[in-house]
Amino acid sequence: MPYLLPWDPWRELREMREAMEKVFGRFPRLFREEQLGAWLPAVDVFERDDNVIVKVDLPGVDKKNVKIFVTDEEITIQGEMKREEEVKEKNYYRSERAYGKFSRTIPLPVAVDRDKAKASFKDGVLEVVIPKAKGAQARQVEITPE
């Protein structure tokens, strides 16, 4: 019989990894659709000239399944990626591709003119261009000591 240390750090790491995988799924995929009921597409928000640009990665999503709502202070992108087919074969080992409904609400860095927002969808990337409101500047929030 092999000698066992009273404290086995490798066993503890394995157990910790297994526990994390039960909660979050396998790395690098942090959240699984069956746990949250949704998936979250990656989003970039930045300013270019007099516009706020929002880019959203939506590979495999049909543009007919995407809705965009813009207010003066935030943007909400909702949609759904439908699963192509369900495979019930004996030799099907893994399914990690995201599908299902999603919704992201992102605060905008400045006030915008929501009525002039324009969106385009190309190669699985949604781009929303929203002009800044006249005289809009980034909001700064001051913290007051308690």
Side-chain angles (χ1 to χ4, degrees), residues 55-136:
K55 286 190 175 189
V56 185
D57 288 341
L58 298 173
V61 176
D62 189 328
K63 69 179 182 178
K64 294 181 285 190
N65 295 330
V66 177
K67 293 180 183 175
I68 305 163
F69 304 95
V70 180
T71 69
D72 295 337
E73 297 180 348
E74 65 187 20
I75 182 170
T76 299
I77 297 144
Q78 297 177 343
E80 180 175 10
M81 179 162 42
K82 301 194 183 222
R83 188 170 190 155
E84 296 169 10
E85 63 184 68
E86 185 157 339
V87 179
K88 293 187 178 186
E89 296 177 23
K90 186 164 72 171
N91 296 332
Y92 198 83
Y93 298 107
R94 184 173 207 104
S95 177
E96 292 186 356
R97 295 172 50 204
Y99 63 92
K101 295 181 180 184
F102 64 88
S103 180
R104 295 286 312 259
T105 299
I106 300 110
L108 299 171
V110 297
V112 295
D113 187 350
R114 65 180 179 194
D115 297 326
K116 294 182 181 175
K118 295 186 191 263
S120 62
F121 193 81
K122 183 178 178 185
D123 297 330
V125 178
L126 172 68
E127 180 176 279
V128 183
V129 179
I130 315 163
K132 295 179 190 176
K134 297 292 181 219

Side-chain angles (χ1 to χ4, degrees), residues 4-16:
L4 295 176
L5 295 173
W7 175 69
D8 181 1
W10 300 114
R11 182 179 53 85
E12 287 189 17
L13 285 172
R14 279 192 309 275
E15 290 174 356
M16 185 169 49

